Amino acid sequence: WNEIIELFRAGMPLRKHRCLFKSYERCFKASEAVDCLHELLGSNQNFGPEVTRSQTVKLLKKFLKNHVIEDIKGRWGKEDFQDDGHLYRFPPSSPLKPYPKKPSCRKEVIKFPDWDQPKAGTSQEHIPVKSATISSEMWYKRHSIAIGEVPVCRHLFRRELTQTHIEEIWKSMTLAQLQKVLGLDSLDEVLDTKLVNSTHIVQNVYNVNKQGIVTLEDKSKELPHWILSAMKCLANSPSYSDLKQPTYSGFERDVFKTILDYFEQMKEPLLTFHFFDVFVSVLGLLQKHSKAVEALQISCLLLPPENRKRLQLLVRMMAKISFNKNLPPLSESLQTRTLMVQAFSRCILCSKDEMDLDELLAAKLVSFLMDNYQEILSVPSTLKSSIEEHIIHLQKVQIKYAGAETGATFTPPSFCHQIGTDEFEYQRATGSQEPLAALLEEIAMNKEISVKDKKKKLKQFQKSYPEVYRVRFPTPETEAVLFAEKNKQKPPILMWAFKKPFQPFHRTRSFRM
């Protein structure tokens, strides 16, 4: 904010203009201001050339509202700035406040000793070592007494593992553990394992900073600096002290809308379309907290590094905002936590078909993710240590005894095996559809929603997942039980209300034939 204002005031050309037969000194046209500020933003490293002219106009509206500029008659305070020929000028006093100065301090570089080098005056050559020699025959006699006959053995040097081999080991063992946690006989029903990138898994595990956030090798895929600043500002508001922030009313809502607009324009959600079924299958484990956390830990390792980093930053911001009691309300009708879940759910998880039911699934998963983001978005230590131990085992020199199979190696666990069509259909029906059945049961038993909303959600579910719906409601009678209403007793019908009023006897004349 302060930096752009300073650049704009210093770079905006001021000259004499005429308007309605009157001359005004040191002013500028609105279109000239848009041209100048748009060029400044495009060349600034915090914004870049992707800034549009319409965004520049929006910023100038904020300038006019906060008295960074005023019209030639001294009016300001409204956002009625337009890209036209109206004249504006800078106010006599600057709206900026001085930057807080940090005390200067000199850092001393601490030099640690080199443990590999011996101290001065000592040398390994002068250390007395008693030599001991033993013949092979004496060794054989000595050890055969203790452990019996020693078979002939030889050393086997393993083939050197390349980076490609290590990445494939990471992929196979990670998917094996994911399959085990989800309780599936095969991952084929929820994931095409051929599309899992082994390099992404290794980068997500090892390319991290001290806070556990992924560091990207390709810096062009980083979040723009202005978005990072906006997220940091909103998450720590009002105690954010990097720069002096403007205090106009509604500033926090403007920042929130800017962040939301950026994430909504992404072509694909952060958890990607490809992994949608994997994360939906985790919903069935939410009742088992530790299992659900471990499943989400492993599933998030499969994401592209840029997606994982954006997910880490976004969910951390959402959690901080939800617990920030000093932050002004961002919505007049919704609580802050509810607003966070509703606003960013589709940015995090949705299917390619964009069905209405996806919002329920995404909201449920995002809520769990916000509550446990520190665990879920960290590297699973147990999985990491087991894979590293397995790799070290493959790289060690092995002892080969006579009679054993030549070249026997420890094979890593396999994560899938071929099955028949009938078995696949059975696993698909009993595995991936369990969380959907749990969601349907939750909708059916929810007493807090109205009957009208419940019927609407059930109809959406029936349209999206007819097989799961048919298992729960095989007949219309089973569905009607949910909406059974008490028979209202109608008041008894009074018979006298239908009788004609009393009429006196009338004598009739009879005719004889």
Side-chain angles (χ1 to χ4, degrees):
W1 178 262
N2 282 354
E3 179 185 359
I4 292 301
I5 292 176
E6 290 178 346
L7 292 174
F8 180 54
R9 289 176 66 94
M12 183 67 216
L14 306 177
R15 59 187 181 88
K16 182 179 180 181
H17 287 83
R18 285 184 64 86
C19 180
L20 300 177
F21 307 103
K22 188 175 180 180
S23 298
Y24 297 91
E25 300 288 343
R26 298 182 59 78
C27 58
F28 51 86
K29 291 183 179 180
S31 58
E32 295 174 346
V34 177
D35 294 337
C36 177
L37 184 58
H38 186 238
E39 183 179 354
L40 289 173
L41 294 175
S43 58
N44 188 280
Q45 62 178 357
N46 295 336
F47 295 91
E50 64 270 12
V51 177
T52 63
R53 189 175 182 87
S54 61
Q55 291 173 331
T56 306
V57 173
K58 291 181 181 179
L59 181 57
L60 284 166
K61 288 182 178 182
K62 299 296 181 184
F63 283 179
L64 180 60
K65 181 178 179 180
N66 295 277
H67 207 194
V68 178
I69 60 175
E70 62 183 17
D71 67 5
I72 53 176
K73 295 184 179 180
R75 293 173 297 193
W76 59 278
K78 296 182 179 180
E79 295 188 11
D80 53 358
F81 183 92
Q82 300 294 333
D83 190 358
D84 53 22
H86 282 73
L87 297 180
Y88 294 89
R89 66 189 180 192
F90 292 115
S93 59
S94 172
L96 300 179
K97 294 185 178 181
Y99 292 102
K101 294 183 178 180
K102 297 181 180 179
S104 59
C105 58
R106 298 181 61 185
K107 295 182 179 180
E108 296 183 0
V109 179
I110 301 176
K111 185 176 181 181
F112 292 93
D114 190 355
W115 305 108
D116 296 332
Q117 296 180 358
K119 295 182 180 180
T122 62
S123 175
Q124 293 182 353
E125 296 179 356
H126 300 286
I127 298 177
V129 178
K130 184 178 180 180
S131 60
T133 58
I134 184 171
S135 62
S136 58
E137 183 179 357
M138 186 179 297
W139 185 94
Y140 182 83
K141 289 181 179 180
R142 179 180 299 177
H143 289 80
S144 61
I145 296 173
I147 61 176
E149 296 294 329
V150 179
V152 180
C153 63
R154 61 188 179 91
H155 287 173
L156 289 180
F157 292 90
R158 295 297 185 191
R159 184 180 61 178
E160 183 180 358
L161 294 178
T162 64
Q163 183 64 24
T164 303
H165 294 150
I166 293 176
E167 290 177 355
E168 288 301 319
I169 293 172
W170 267 96
K171 175 181 176 179
S172 62
M173 296 188 68
T174 301
L175 293 178
Q177 184 63 21
L178 177 61
Q179 176 184 327
K180 179 181 177 181
V181 175
L182 293 179
L184 302 176
D185 294 328
S186 173
L187 289 176
D188 293 340
E189 57 191 273
V190 296
L191 177 65
D192 185 358
T193 56
K194 295 179 181 178
L195 300 180
V196 176
N197 192 321
S198 57
T199 305
H200 291 170
I201 300 176
V202 176
Q203 290 178 352
N204 289 333
V205 171
Y206 292 106
N207 294 358
V208 294
N209 58 17
K210 294 180 180 179
Q211 290 76 32
I213 306 297
V214 177
T215 57
L216 303 181
E217 297 178 355
D218 187 357
K219 300 303 178 182
S220 64
K221 296 181 179 179
E222 294 276 5
L223 279 174
H225 184 271
W226 57 275
I227 281 291
L228 288 173
S229 298
M231 295 172 69
K232 185 177 180 181
C233 169
L234 195 59
N236 299 284
S237 180
S239 60
Y240 182 62
S241 59
D242 189 9
L243 291 176
K244 186 66 179 178
Q245 297 298 320
T247 56
Y248 68 85
S249 177
F251 171 73
E252 290 81 5
R253 295 189 182 187
D254 288 343
V255 175
F256 173 71
K257 188 176 185 304
T258 301
I259 299 171
L260 180 60
D261 290 343
Y262 177 83
F263 281 97
E264 282 184 338
Q265 71 180 359
M266 296 187 305
K267 298 180 180 179
E268 191 177 22
L270 293 177
L271 298 183
T272 72
F273 294 137
H274 176 61
F275 297 125
F276 174 78
D277 291 334
V278 176
F279 287 100
V280 168
S281 62
V282 179
L283 292 174
L285 301 175
L286 293 186
Q287 301 299 328
K288 304 175 182 178
H289 183 273
S290 59
K291 286 286 186 182
V293 169
E294 184 180 2
L296 288 174
Q297 272 185 331
I298 301 174
S299 301
C300 290
L301 286 181
L302 310 181
L303 298 173
E306 58 271 16
N307 287 44
R308 180 177 171 87
K309 181 171 185 177
R310 295 185 180 198
L311 181 67
Q312 289 174 319
L313 297 175
L314 178 60
V315 176
R316 185 176 67 174
M317 181 203 74
M318 294 167 60
K320 285 187 175 181
I321 292 175
S322 300
F323 293 106
N324 190 350
K325 297 181 180 179
N326 298 322
L327 183 70
L330 300 176
S331 173
E332 297 179 357
S333 58
L334 297 176
Q335 294 183 354
T336 304
R337 176 183 172 85
T338 306
L339 177 64
M340 291 296 108
V341 175
Q342 290 187 5
F344 291 105
S345 289
R346 297 187 68 84
C347 304
I348 295 176
L349 178 68
C350 71
S351 64
K352 202 169 186 178
D353 301 330
E354 295 187 1
M355 294 181 292
D356 294 335
L357 202 62
D358 294 349
E359 297 181 6
L360 300 174
L361 300 174
K364 194 171 183 179
L365 185 68
V366 171
S367 297
F368 187 82
L369 191 60
M370 284 177 56
D371 295 335
N372 305 276
Y373 76 96
Q374 291 183 334
E375 279 186 280
I376 293 173
L377 296 178
S378 62
V379 178
S381 56
T382 305
L383 176 66
K384 181 182 177 183
S385 59
S386 63
I387 296 177
E388 288 176 344
E389 289 175 2
H390 177 62
I391 293 175
I392 293 174
H393 170 78
L394 295 178
Q395 292 174 333
K396 280 184 176 179
V397 175
Q398 306 294 321
I399 298 179
K400 184 71 175 178
Y401 292 98
E405 296 180 4
T406 306
T409 58
F410 178 79
T411 57
S414 60
F415 54 87
C416 65
H417 60 276
Q418 187 174 3
I419 59 176
T421 306
D422 296 337
E423 179 67 17
F424 171 77
E425 291 297 332
Y426 172 76
Q427 292 178 9
R428 184 177 65 86
T430 58
S432 61
Q433 295 183 6
E434 287 182 0
L436 295 175
L439 177 62
L440 177 59
E441 189 68 22
E442 181 178 345
I443 297 173
M445 296 294 105
N446 193 345
K447 298 181 180 180
E448 297 180 358
I449 59 177
S450 62
V451 175
K452 182 179 179 181
D453 292 339
K454 182 178 291 188
K455 288 182 177 180
K456 182 180 178 181
K457 293 181 183 297
L458 289 175
K459 187 174 181 181
Q460 291 176 352
F461 196 104
Q462 184 181 18
K463 182 179 178 181
S464 303
Y465 305 100
E467 296 179 0
V468 181
Y469 191 88
R470 194 180 303 114
V471 173
R472 177 60 177 84
F473 301 107
T475 62
E477 289 75 13
T478 56
E479 182 180 359
V481 174
L482 294 178
F483 310 104
E485 298 180 356
K486 295 182 179 180
N487 295 327
K488 297 181 179 180
Q489 296 183 355
K490 298 182 179 180
I493 301 176
L494 299 178
M495 298 303 296
W496 57 264
F498 294 95
K499 293 182 179 179
K500 295 181 180 180
F502 176 78
Q503 296 178 354
F505 175 76
H506 294 282
R507 180 179 294 177
T508 58
R509 183 177 297 178
S510 61
F511 298 92
R512 292 183 178 178
M513 298 301 295

